[in-house]
């Protein structure tokens, strides 16, 4: 009898085990080729410095009103914790009077996300932080808050990032995120433009 006829069934029986249990070297190669999680703790480096701010805000969000006021001011962003946090101070004047805002942004290295904690001088309290991250140069941050006693969703977007300009937009949703109403638009232009050209121009992966 041909010995190969005896070996053939044994070889076919072993094939499923080879498929289910790849060799250790192959598994290690796959793990080594997997992309490392993105570290976003430098995401806001582009914004450190002084900016000229032009902003519009909707006076009565989610009421059907389309009344906006325009303001102009200055935004100063300072790095803390060696870049894992930053402090934003905005002072603006215009049709809506004087506005003074503060935003403390903190990076969580475990979740690789940022939390944005906003306050204004009118009430002196921190709002519920919006939480999120940057992807391909665009930052999106979300929170659930209350507006006039009802639960709403908040979305804060940072986009169009260049060495000398950046756009901010806030929107509310009272239908679980199906539709959004924008209530805050700010366009910042760097004052210390020469310094801006030496910094990171945009957030990248």
């Amino acid at each position: 009898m041909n010995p190969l006829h005896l070996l053939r069934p044994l070889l076919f029986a072993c094939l499923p085990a080879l498929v289910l249990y790849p060799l250790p070297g192959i598994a290690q190669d796959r793990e080594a080729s997997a992309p490392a999680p993105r570290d976003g703790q430098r995401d806001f480096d582009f914004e450190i410095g002084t900016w000229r701010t032009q902003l519009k805000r909707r006076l009565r969000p989610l009421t059907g009103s389309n009344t906006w006021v325009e303001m102009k001011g200055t935004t100063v962003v300072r790095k803390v914790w060696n870049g894992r946090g930053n402090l934003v101070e905005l002072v603006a004047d215009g049709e809506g009077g004087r506005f003074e805002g503060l935003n403390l942004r903190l990076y969580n290295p475990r979740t690789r996300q940022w939390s944005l904690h906003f306050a204004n001088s009118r009430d002196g309290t921190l709002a519920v932080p919006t939480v999120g991250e940057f992807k391909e140069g665009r930052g999106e941050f979300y929170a659930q808050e209350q507006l006039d006693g009802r639960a709403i969703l908040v979305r804060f977007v940072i986009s169009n990032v260049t060495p000398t300009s950046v756009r901010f937009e806030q929107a509310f949703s009272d239908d679980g995120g199906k539709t959004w109403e924008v209530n805050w638009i700010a366009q910042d232009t760097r004052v210390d433009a020469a310094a801006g050209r030496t910094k990171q121009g945009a957030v990248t992966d």
Side-chain angles (χ1 to χ4, degrees), residues 40-90:
Q41 66 177 317
R42 304 295 298 274
D43 281 346
F44 283 101
D45 280 9
F46 76 91
E47 201 188 358
I48 304 304
T50 303
W51 301 75
R52 185 178 297 107
T53 300
Q54 291 186 306
L55 67 87
K56 294 172 53 180
R57 64 185 184 93
R58 191 187 298 267
L59 287 181
R60 293 178 293 277
L62 298 181
T63 64
S65 171
N66 196 35
T67 302
W68 292 73
V69 295
E70 297 189 14
M71 310 179 77
K72 295 181 180 180
T74 301
T75 298
V76 179
V77 186
R78 299 179 177 87
K79 183 185 296 188
V80 298
W81 288 353
N82 196 31
R84 289 184 294 110
N86 58 79
L87 187 65
V88 183
E89 293 182 82
L90 166 63

Side-chain angles (χ1 to χ4, degrees), residues 145 154-157 168-172 181-185:
E145 296 188 25
V154 179
R155 181 185 68 193
F156 190 71
V157 176
F168 304 91
E169 179 185 287
Q170 180 180 265
F172 291 165
E181 180 187 83
V182 176
N183 57 68
W184 174 283
I185 300 172

Side-chain angles (χ1 to χ4, degrees), residues 44 80-81 84-90 99-108 111 113-121 123-132 141-143 145 154 156 158 170:
F44 283 101
V80 298
W81 288 353
R84 289 184 294 110
N86 58 79
L87 187 65
V88 183
E89 293 182 82
L90 166 63
F99 178 85
E100 295 180 321
L102 191 73
N103 200 338
L104 176 62
R105 302 160 172 162
L106 302 173
Y107 182 69
N108 185 330
T111 63
Q113 291 184 315
W114 286 85
S115 58
L116 281 50
H117 307 255
F118 180 79
N120 67 67
S121 61
D123 54 31
T125 60
L126 288 173
V128 175
T130 54
V131 179
F141 309 85
Y142 294 88
E145 296 188 25
V154 179
F156 190 71
I158 302 174
Q170 180 180 265

Side-chain angles (χ1 to χ4, degrees), residues 130-195:
T130 54
V131 179
E133 60 192 311
F134 279 88
K135 291 183 178 179
E136 298 181 354
R138 176 184 172 93
E140 291 194 9
F141 309 85
Y142 294 88
Q144 181 173 324
E145 296 188 25
Q146 285 201 344
L147 179 67
D148 298 329
R150 54 182 173 151
I152 64 167
L153 296 178
V154 179
R155 181 185 68 193
F156 190 71
V157 176
I158 302 174
S159 62
N160 299 343
V161 178
T162 77
T164 57
S165 63
V166 58
R167 186 180 191 274
F168 304 91
E169 179 185 287
Q170 180 180 265
F172 291 165
S173 173
D174 59 359
D175 58 9
K178 295 178 182 177
T179 61
W180 293 90
E181 180 187 83
V182 176
N183 57 68
W184 174 283
I185 300 172
Q187 181 68 41
D188 280 11
T189 304
R190 183 176 288 280
V191 174
D192 47 344

